Amino acid sequence: EVQLVESGGGLVQPGASLKLSCVASGFTFSDYWMSWVRQTPGKTMEWIGDIKYDGSYTNYAPSLKNRFTISRDNAKSTLYLQMSNVRSEDTATYYCLGAGVYWGQGVMVTVSS
Amino acid sequence: DVVMTQTPLSLPISLGDQASFSCRSSQSLLHSNGNTYLAWYLQKSGLSPQILIYRISNRFSGVPDRFSGSGSGTDFTLKISRVEPEDLGVYYCLQHTHLPYTFGAGTKLELK
């Protein structure tokens, strides 16, 4: 059974940094592009970016490129999202997405002072 | 960015009826490799989205055949032949032809 389990969310202050993780199981992680997607409290879905199966290439939404970094560790079957200088508008549920098909359960990030 | 417009925002339906969802893109989703990267997802209340259809019309493994996708270029449709209770939720389309990839706002399928 495919599982993607995100962690690392919570309440953070504006301007802080946060790193989300997504541990994958049930499929060959190193064979697939992986993505991060977020859903705002108003239910808008926003694609954040993705990373090639070997970690050699990344794409980002232009509005987030300067503050968010996606990486992966294939030995640990883990995907990461490093968020820096967070803002209130980053408040959302963050999902990892495998091969455009498999979704994690999501992790909430709330940015507030 | 490619704008994905889904209509209607809400679709009240009776069980057993046919449901039809529209998704239109602001530019063609035909990739230079000949594929069109348009997918449909269903998000049930309180759960993560789940894949239904990829590349316009391909049902993912385990998706019932009452779901069908069609379209080309900028105009795409998802149909449910006979709505069942487990089909209720919000349907999103996603284009992953042009960077940055973009979602529609969703169509909520609910009981009349």
Side-chain angles (χ1 to χ4, degrees), chain B residues 15-76:
Chain B
L15 297 179
D17 284 355
Q18 175 176 279
S20 181
F21 307 83
S22 172
C23 177
R24 289 194 167 99
S25 56
S26 60
Q27 59 183 279
S28 174
L29 300 185
L30 179 63
H31 194 279
S32 56
N33 65 11
N35 290 318
T36 299
Y37 296 102
L38 186 284
W40 291 94
Y41 300 90
L42 163 61
Q43 186 174 34
K44 299 179 184 179
S45 181
L47 298 180
S48 304
Q50 60 188 84
I51 182 83
L52 296 173
I53 301 284
Y54 61 97
R55 275 189 271 132
I56 302 178
S57 59
N58 297 276
R59 275 190 306 275
F60 188 68
S61 175
V63 174
D65 61 8
R66 64 179 181 273
F67 289 90
S68 63
S70 63
S72 64
T74 62
D75 201 348
F76 305 93

Side-chain angles (χ1 to χ4, degrees), chain A residues 35 37 39 43-47 50 57 59-62 95 97 100-106, chain B residues 1 39 41 43 46-51 54 60 90 92 94 96 99-105:
Chain A
S35 309
V37 172
Q39 186 170 35
K43 302 302 182 185
T44 297
M45 301 286 282
E46 182 179 14
W47 179 81
D50 61 10
Y57 197 77
N59 296 301
Y60 294 95
Y95 294 98
L97 176 58
V101 170
Y102 307 114
W103 292 72
Q105 88 285 355
Chain B
D1 298 3
Y41 300 90
Q43 186 174 34
L47 298 180
S48 304
Q50 60 188 84
I51 182 83
Y54 61 97
F60 188 68
V90 181
Y92 294 95
L94 165 70
H96 53 114
L99 289 166
Y101 305 151
T102 45
F103 289 87

Side-chain angles (χ1 to χ4, degrees), chain A residues 11-17 86 110-113:
Chain A
L11 175 64
V12 291
Q13 293 198 331
S17 295
V86 296
T110 302
V111 182
S112 175
S113 55

Side-chain angles (χ1 to χ4, degrees), chain A residues 12-80:
Chain A
V12 291
Q13 293 198 331
S17 295
L18 191 66
K19 190 171 187 176
L20 306 183
S21 301
C22 168
V23 178
S25 61
F27 68 105
T28 306
F29 180 77
S30 56
D31 282 352
Y32 295 100
W33 284 74
M34 296 292 296
S35 309
W36 285 99
V37 172
R38 66 185 183 183
Q39 186 170 35
T40 67
K43 302 302 182 185
T44 297
M45 301 286 282
E46 182 179 14
W47 179 81
I48 296 170
D50 61 10
I51 185 167
K52 195 176 179 180
Y53 42 82
D54 60 1
S56 63
Y57 197 77
T58 50
N59 296 301
Y60 294 95
S63 61
L64 301 173
K65 184 173 184 176
N66 292 335
R67 298 189 298 117
F68 288 16
T69 302
I70 298 173
S71 60
R72 65 192 296 163
D73 183 338
N74 285 346
K76 295 182 179 179
S77 295
T78 302
L79 176 72
Y80 301 102

